[in-house]
Amino acid sequence: MAERRALDLDALAVSDRFRLFNFTRRDDHVTYLWVLRSVDRLREVHQVQVGADEVESTLRELAANHAEAPEVPAQGLRHRLDELATDGVLHRFDDASRAGTLASYRNRQSVYQFSELGYRAYHAVENLLGARVEDVNLSRLVFSDVLEDLGALAEANRTGRVEDVYRRLSRLDAVMEDMGRRSAQFHVTLGEILRSTEASSEVFLRHKNALLVHMSDFMAELDRYLPRLDRAVHEVEATGLSTLLSRAAEADERLFMDRTERLEDWSRRWWAVRAWFASESGSPTRAAELGQATRTAVSGVVALLRQITEAQRGGVNRSTQLRHLAAWVFDTPDDGAAHALMGAAFNSRSARHLGVAHEDGDEFAPTDSWHDAAGVEVSVTLFRSDRSPNHGVPKPVRRDTGARSELRRRQTEDREAERASAARLVSEGAHQRVLDDSDTKVLLRLVTKALESRSVSYTRRDTSPAVVGLLKSATADDAGTLIRLVRDERGSTVRTSQGRIHLPGFRVELAPRAARTTARKGNR
């Protein structure tokens, strides 16, 4: 259930919770661990808020019984407690009531206690440190308990015993969580054993019989109980699933969750139980998947056992070869002979040089040593197989007709929107209203074309010998719309949804392109 809830956290929440493990990445992480152990020791005697002096005293008690416990001075201990409070593992409070003198009252008197998530982080680290490979197992006795709990759950729901419904459903949830954890740990450990038998074949052979018997007994119990568990799950649902979940939520005593949240939580827990044992439309259950994984593991153990037996029967394996080589090296007369023997055994004498041209050939002189020249990047293909990498045959062009049709549709809509904006500009003008984004885009394009096509007329005034350049009126057209920038001493302003466009010395006139053709014919 915890893994499911963790999937709903966003990146920021995940980052905040990872910050709780910062003390494991510091240089003196062992010291931080013993400081937290001291705070936890005080918490066990119901002393929730502790000061630095109390933690120091507890550290001395731990150091008397454990040689690994460090001795931390009071000043350094306060600094580490503050760092843990910064990471969120501890909460820090200022408690003036602990001051015994005026001087200590003036100084900061801080007390510390575990935060809820901080204690979970510390507990997770302790569980990891306390994990032992010898503890893993597949519990075959749990199936009878699950079958009994399902029968009692159906009877309690049928007779209306609310507390028994809550008690049995809670026990089933705990059993399912423990069963999933045990199976995951067992198969991970078994995979580790199968991977690292080269150095521990004696240990594997010593425990092979117990391992095979353990997995075989588990598979036998699973095959015997799985059909009965399937029927028991359906019998529980036949008594009324909604009533069952409602009664469990009613008896739930979690104060910080309302009834709707408790009902959703118990619904998720029941569906987790159902996924383990109840078959649905031919899909395998979690228990059946566990059985298949265990059968595969048995096959892997048997194959590994055959491999180890054959290697020991022949008398030569990797360990034997290394022992003989170590004896030969030890018996060599001098260091030179030992190095020569090791070089021949591991082929460390053969030179495997690899070189490619630098991108800038003139950067280094041909007479420079390779030791002084800069290195170049070498592809993995060239390094491993002595072949230059190639990109292979060009891949065929993928024709995504759906994307092309969508692109054409969007382009058509954009063109229709521009035509509608141009028609509004011609009919309503650009000055007496507020232009939207589409109208502003069309107007700016027309103004840009008009400004690019304008010309300057040069005249000489009577009062000045200089030549003065005046901008003539500019005209342009685009997609059937004609724009004229007519000279106006007062200028003009166009209001848009994003602001105002000022045209000093000009006024905008818009007309359809057909009006331009008619005007030219009249001039002729």
Side-chain angles (χ1 to χ4, degrees), residues 276-513:
W276 265 98
F277 303 114
S279 59
E280 190 70 28
S281 65
S283 59
T285 61
R286 293 283 302 277
E289 293 176 354
L290 176 59
Q292 183 61 34
T294 307
R295 290 188 182 90
T296 305
V298 170
S299 302
V301 171
V302 172
L304 180 61
L305 177 61
R306 186 185 301 111
Q307 178 182 353
I308 293 176
T309 305
E310 293 176 355
Q312 289 190 348
R313 184 182 304 168
V316 178
N317 55 15
R318 185 67 173 171
S319 300
T320 306
Q321 293 174 357
L322 291 176
R323 290 193 186 97
H324 282 287
L325 178 60
W328 293 345
V329 172
F330 182 78
D331 294 335
T332 52
D334 52 19
D335 291 344
H339 287 299
L341 181 58
M342 292 295 291
F346 294 102
N347 194 24
S348 60
R349 295 287 181 173
S350 60
R352 295 181 294 174
H353 293 164
L354 181 66
V356 294
H358 196 272
E359 294 180 357
D360 189 359
D362 299 332
E363 184 176 354
F364 303 98
T367 57
D368 290 344
S369 171
W370 64 270
H371 186 272
D372 300 329
V376 295
E377 295 183 359
V378 179
S379 66
V380 178
T381 305
L382 181 62
F383 176 75
R384 292 181 176 176
S385 59
D386 197 20
R387 293 194 303 270
S388 299
N390 55 11
H391 299 288
V393 180
K395 296 182 179 180
V397 178
R398 298 181 58 184
R399 298 184 179 276
D400 194 345
T401 56
R404 295 176 65 181
S405 300
E406 178 66 18
L407 182 60
R408 290 195 190 97
R409 185 187 64 79
R410 293 180 182 178
Q411 291 175 348
T412 303
E413 291 179 354
D414 293 342
R415 286 195 294 267
E416 291 296 333
E418 291 182 0
R419 292 193 188 98
S421 298
R424 285 196 300 270
L425 288 172
V426 171
S427 60
E428 301 178 10
H431 293 290
Q432 302 301 325
R433 62 191 183 95
V434 178
L435 305 184
D436 58 11
D437 292 340
S438 179
D439 295 349
T440 305
K441 179 180 178 182
V442 175
L443 178 64
L444 289 177
R445 186 171 66 244
L446 290 170
V447 170
T448 301
K449 287 189 175 184
L451 292 176
E452 290 175 350
S453 63
R454 63 186 176 180
S455 59
V456 182
S457 62
Y458 296 95
T459 59
R460 182 183 297 275
R461 294 181 179 177
D462 297 336
T463 59
S464 175
V467 177
V468 179
L470 298 176
L471 294 177
K472 291 184 175 180
S473 299
T475 304
D477 59 79
D478 180 72
T481 304
L482 177 67
I483 183 172
R484 297 189 184 91
L485 297 180
V486 182
R487 289 195 54 78
D488 190 342
E489 296 297 334
R490 294 178 301 175
S492 61
T493 300
V494 178
R495 294 180 299 166
T496 69
S497 59
Q498 303 295 330
R500 296 174 181 269
I501 302 176
H502 298 284
L503 299 174
F506 290 96
R507 185 181 71 257
V508 176
E509 292 183 357
L510 297 164
R513 185 186 297 177

